[in-house]
Amino acid sequence: MSEPTFATLVSRWYEENARDLPWRKPGVSPWAILVSEVMLQQTPVVRVLPAYEAWLARWPVPAALAAESPAEAIRMWGRLGYPRRALRLRECATAIVERHGGKVPDRLDQLLALPGVGTYTARAVAAFAYGQRHPVVDTNVRRVVCRAVAGEPDAGPATRPADLLATEALLPAEPAAAALASAAFMELGAVICTARSPRCDLCPVESTCAWRASGQAAPAGPTRRPQRYAGTDRQVRGLLLGVLRETTGPVPRQRLDQVWTDGAQRTRALSGLVQDGLVEPVDDDSYRLVGDGPSVPLPDLTH
């Protein structure tokens, strides 16, 4: 009898040890999986869970979100971070209604054509919502494959075409088994084959891992330098959005001026929110979340 494949071993481990997450439950809708994938981008699971549950309770289908204003999507996004994702998700819902009758498409090309849906998200929805065979490659999967197959301690900061090919080569031929393996690879990288403190003694493929056999240590420093937040324009943008989310309709500029003492940085942050389509001016002295009322021309924020 032949030895179990890499995918078989990891899939067996996943079926016994996977975290109980709501988007993995049987019967969860493709829309719910799409929402989870957008929310999980650059955001820890623990922060996503309450936002995911609240979002789907309010907008359980794409048509429900498409019928709302952009401002409500931004408000509901709360402090999840990178709020442009809320706008992209609403645009995606609108496109799903207009192009696909309100049903998340199951073809990869149609998923890729949706606003804000990139290569990773499209493949993730096709695999996890529709059980298709596609290499679903995020940072965790790249690390697992790089270590187990190539014997390298880290896969680097960006996904390359070679990463997709290497991952696809590990997938079973049968689509449902391949989709399960994709989820398993991701989970293994998230909880066992971590970047700095891998738990190799609990890994289902420790005995065949090329990196483990090489004896190389995990990199001492982070693959990416952590982004500073305190005192940055990102922090100021978040403070401004916090005030605007709590108010329906216009907010006087004077009220916004109270969130940060550096006037030049505050103006720059507000201008960035306007340019990103998250905030719009009502007049020279007040602003609101985009879509909270009739559109108005942009002001000159340089003075």
Side-chain angles (χ1 to χ4, degrees):
M1 182 179 294
S2 60
E3 292 294 320
T5 65
F6 180 90
T8 298
L9 291 171
V10 179
S11 295
R12 288 175 181 170
W13 167 86
Y14 175 81
E15 291 182 308
E16 295 179 1
N17 298 280
R19 290 169 292 175
D20 182 17
L21 299 175
W23 44 85
R24 292 176 175 169
K25 293 186 181 299
V28 67
S29 71
W31 169 244
I33 290 174
L34 175 57
V35 169
S36 74
E37 291 297 340
V38 173
M39 288 188 169
L40 286 164
Q41 294 168 11
Q42 303 182 69
T43 309
V45 168
V46 67
R47 292 186 59 203
V48 167
L49 284 169
Y52 168 87
E53 299 282 9
W55 188 279
L56 289 175
R58 181 168 181 179
W59 299 312
V61 295
L65 176 57
E68 287 279 12
S69 69
E72 286 306 303
I74 297 170
R75 285 196 179 94
M76 199 67 182
W77 197 259
R79 298 187 180 277
L80 199 54
Y82 304 98
R84 278 181 291 178
R85 289 182 293 170
L87 294 181
R88 299 293 86 80
L89 195 49
R90 181 184 172 276
E91 291 171 6
C92 185
T94 301
I96 290 171
V97 171
E98 293 175 349
R99 303 175 194 173
H100 306 288
K103 181 179 182 295
V104 176
D106 59 359
R107 282 173 34 191
L108 186 60
D109 60 337
Q110 292 177 335
L111 287 165
L112 286 167
L114 294 174
V117 174
T119 299
Y120 166 79
T121 302
R123 293 175 182 274
V125 172
F128 304 147
Y130 294 111
Q132 297 178 12
R133 186 183 188 275
H134 296 289
V136 183
V137 181
D138 69 351
T139 300
N140 292 316
V141 174
R142 285 191 296 108
R143 184 168 57 253
V144 166
V145 174
C146 185
R147 286 176 175 174
V149 178
E152 298 295 332
D154 208 308
T159 300
R160 304 162 299 172
D163 297 318
L164 293 172
L165 293 174
T167 304
E168 185 172 17
L170 296 173
L171 296 178
E174 201 275 318
L180 175 64
S182 290
F185 295 168
M186 195 172 299
E187 184 77 345
L188 187 68
V191 302
I192 299 295
C193 193
T194 56
R196 302 294 155 247
S197 302
R199 303 160 67 190
C200 296
D201 56 320
L202 299 178
C203 180
V205 290
E206 178 192 12
S207 63
T208 60
C209 176
W211 174 59
R212 184 73 164 163
S214 73
Q216 296 183 69
T223 302
R224 298 182 182 182
R225 184 183 298 274
Q227 291 185 342
R228 183 172 62 90
Y229 181 74
T232 64
D233 286 2
R234 281 184 59 215
Q235 182 184 13
V236 183
R237 285 164 59 102
L239 292 171
L240 292 168
L241 272 182
V243 173
L244 291 160
R245 280 197 308 267
E246 294 167 1
T247 306
T248 301
V251 175
R253 177 68 180 259
Q254 183 178 11
R255 171 68 183 89
L256 296 174
D257 288 346
Q258 297 173 14
V259 306
W260 198 253
T261 57
D262 186 331
Q265 187 178 22
R266 191 177 60 244
T267 296
R268 185 170 64 247
L270 182 59
S271 178
L273 291 172
V274 171
Q275 292 172 4
D276 287 346
L278 294 162
V279 172
E280 62 184 5
V282 178
D283 49 43
D284 289 340
D285 297 313
S286 60
Y287 294 80
R288 64 188 170 208
L289 293 180
V290 67
D292 242 3
S295 60
V296 292
L298 301 181
D300 181 5
L301 295 177
T302 59
H303 60 278

